Amino acid sequence: MTLYQKLKASGNPQAVAQITISLLESHSVKETAKILGVTPRWVYKLRERFRLSNGDISACIKKRGPKFRMPNRTPEHIENLVVTLAKETNLGSKRLALFIKNTFNIQLSPFTIRNIRRRYGIHCRKHKTLTGSRRFATDFSAFEPLQLWQIDAKHIADQSALPPEAYASIFKNKLPPFQFTAIDIKTRLRFIAYADSLDFKNGLTFMLLVAAWLRAFGVKHQLFFQTDNGAEFGGSAGSRKRKLIQKLIFDHWNVSLLNIPERNKETNCFVERSHRTDDEEFYALNLKKVTSRTSFLKMAQNWILYFNYRRPHFGKNMNGMTPVEALKFYRCFYHPAIGSMPVVVLDQLSNYTSLLFDISSLPWDNLPRNKKLLNETMAHYIISRHSSLYISLSVLFCYNIVKKSPSQRLEGRGCKITRSR
């Protein structure tokens, strides 16, 4: 590396001119050029600039680029708008172009926004993986919309993902520390719920809640719930608990439970990626505004409505559509309120799950091979006895939600959505 390159890399734009002028006081032009590692012609030009500027060092090094603004360049006021919005919203080029079009009715190419961001040195604040782990490609054509759901639990109090004030607000307001998430891989429709404890009863309640909500809205095809091997979802695929809930509970709902390979959370990439979106676009911005559990649940309800009805998605096969718009794109004409499942605290609902299915009497632990399951018949009886009651309660609950228009119901809960045409 030459002396000139080192001076350029120092970050001081006047360092090159200062050293060059000082060397010319005791050396010739050719000697100065040899010391700096540049051509004599450049030294002559720099000495001439110094003479014409009456000894002004700052006038010797001129800024690179055209002298006059290009005629087809984006107007300056629009550039300033893009720069301001890019810093405030932290959106990528595609989403920012769609946001500017819908908000200000200004048509800009995502590539134009990309160039403006590069010109001003604005980058999205993202958490990038450093593990180089393998990525899994999903065959979207193999599943219908609202058929394959990835379900996972998230610990909200993540100090590495949240700013200090948002992290402290979780403990100050005694917020539920765990989030349960279900996302459809094809349309990105998403449901969430919260819990105070990460136990099996809450995990089972959340899966039953998602299944009951979908069945109440007329989703009749077979469902697949893909989870990790955590104890909150019954453990690994070969565990006794997982087999029992599949046979005694979910077979009656036409729901198949799937497990991802151990220590391969990348297989649940859709739900894991949605958790990062939660951190960057919801928790990091809104947790510091929370004053109580009630206000937190209202914010979470507004967030999931925004995610399902208004937030554009640019993942595979989405092309800027919202999840509800994606349902219409695939010709799935369900009720518009299908994406507005209430955000609840699962600890308050899990007691009712215990009453309906009497899960405390099921033989979860491993038993000797020669010992017969004494209460398996009773479990079947409980399922057949209460399944109709559970469906009736779910339908009644959903009917109370959808009997009004979605906007009326949600505005009554302090939420606002815009119904897609």
Side-chain angles (χ1 to χ4, degrees), residues 62-82:
K62 295 184 178 180
K63 189 176 181 180
R64 297 184 64 183
K67 295 182 180 180
F68 304 99
R69 189 180 184 90
M70 300 298 291
N72 59 344
R73 182 172 168 176
T74 307
E76 188 173 359
H77 69 280
I78 295 182
E79 278 196 6
N80 295 333
L81 175 65
V82 171

Side-chain angles (χ1 to χ4, degrees), residues 172-386:
K172 178 182 178 181
N173 298 287
K174 298 182 180 180
L175 304 181
F178 300 104
Q179 171 188 318
F180 284 82
T181 309
I183 186 170
D184 173 43
I185 66 164
K186 198 158 187 175
T187 64
R188 311 304 197 275
L189 194 74
R190 192 162 173 259
F191 306 132
I192 63 173
Y194 293 95
D196 290 308
S197 58
L198 192 66
D199 55 15
F200 169 66
K201 189 162 58 172
N202 287 335
L204 177 61
T205 300
F206 181 69
M207 290 190 290
L208 288 172
L209 182 62
V210 173
W213 182 268
L214 294 174
R215 294 306 186 207
F217 276 86
V219 181
K220 299 180 181 179
H221 54 244
Q222 184 181 11
L223 300 176
F224 296 93
F225 286 175
Q226 179 175 293
T227 67
D228 57 19
N229 299 279
E232 66 273 13
F233 299 115
S236 61
S239 67
R240 183 179 187 82
K241 184 179 292 186
R242 189 79 169 187
K243 292 179 180 178
L244 283 174
I245 62 174
Q246 176 67 71
K247 180 180 179 181
L248 303 180
I249 297 178
F250 286 104
D251 278 349
H252 298 272
W253 291 80
N254 195 18
V255 176
S256 298
L257 302 180
L258 305 176
N259 287 74
I260 65 172
E262 293 186 2
R263 295 180 295 277
N264 282 277
K265 64 179 182 179
E266 295 83 7
T267 314
N268 255 2
C269 54
F270 292 93
V271 67
E272 295 290 352
R273 178 61 181 84
S274 71
H275 286 165
R276 195 181 90 176
T277 302
D278 288 336
D279 288 335
E280 295 176 348
E281 300 184 24
F282 175 57
Y283 292 127
L285 301 178
N286 296 297
L287 277 181
K288 57 186 177 183
K289 305 175 186 177
V290 172
T291 57
S292 63
R293 273 200 171 200
T294 303
S295 64
F296 170 70
L297 292 176
K298 288 182 179 179
M299 287 182 181
Q301 184 70 65
N302 289 330
W303 161 243
I304 202 63
L305 292 175
Y306 169 75
F307 189 95
N308 287 335
Y309 289 92
R310 296 177 57 191
R311 185 182 185 274
H313 295 259
F314 290 93
K316 187 176 180 181
N317 295 344
M318 290 301 291
N319 300 321
M321 294 184 293
T322 66
V324 174
E325 290 173 350
L327 280 175
K328 296 182 180 180
F329 174 78
Y330 290 113
R331 299 184 181 275
C332 301
F333 299 103
Y334 297 108
H335 194 281
I338 191 172
S340 58
M341 189 178 86
V343 177
V344 297
V345 178
L346 295 173
D347 302 80
Q348 302 173 2
L349 295 179
S350 57
N351 296 327
Y352 298 99
T353 305
S354 302
L355 293 175
L356 291 172
F357 294 100
D358 199 10
I359 59 176
S360 60
S361 65
L362 295 180
W364 301 121
D365 300 326
N366 292 328
L367 298 177
R369 294 183 180 179
N370 57 355
K371 187 173 181 179
K372 189 176 180 180
L373 300 180
L374 299 178
N375 56 352
E376 185 171 349
T377 304
M378 180 61 69
H380 278 288
Y381 170 73
I382 294 171
I383 292 292
S384 60
R385 180 183 178 186
H386 292 290

Side-chain angles (χ1 to χ4, degrees), residues 26 46 72 74 107 119 139 149 152 168 212 223 279 312 372 383:
S26 58
L46 190 64
N72 59 344
T74 307
Q107 184 74 34
R119 193 178 304 134
D139 183 10
W149 293 79
D152 195 16
L223 300 176
D279 288 335
K372 189 176 180 180
I383 292 292

Side-chain angles (χ1 to χ4, degrees), residues 80-117:
N80 295 333
L81 175 65
V82 171
V83 171
T84 303
L85 293 176
K87 292 179 179 179
E88 292 179 354
T89 62
N90 195 35
L91 297 178
S93 298
K94 291 182 179 179
R95 292 179 59 196
L96 187 57
L98 188 61
F99 177 79
I100 293 175
K101 179 182 177 182
N102 295 336
T103 307
F104 302 98
N105 197 22
I106 299 176
Q107 184 74 34
L108 287 177
S109 169
F111 301 103
T112 300
I113 295 180
R114 178 202 63 186
N115 295 336
I116 295 174
R117 297 173 70 114

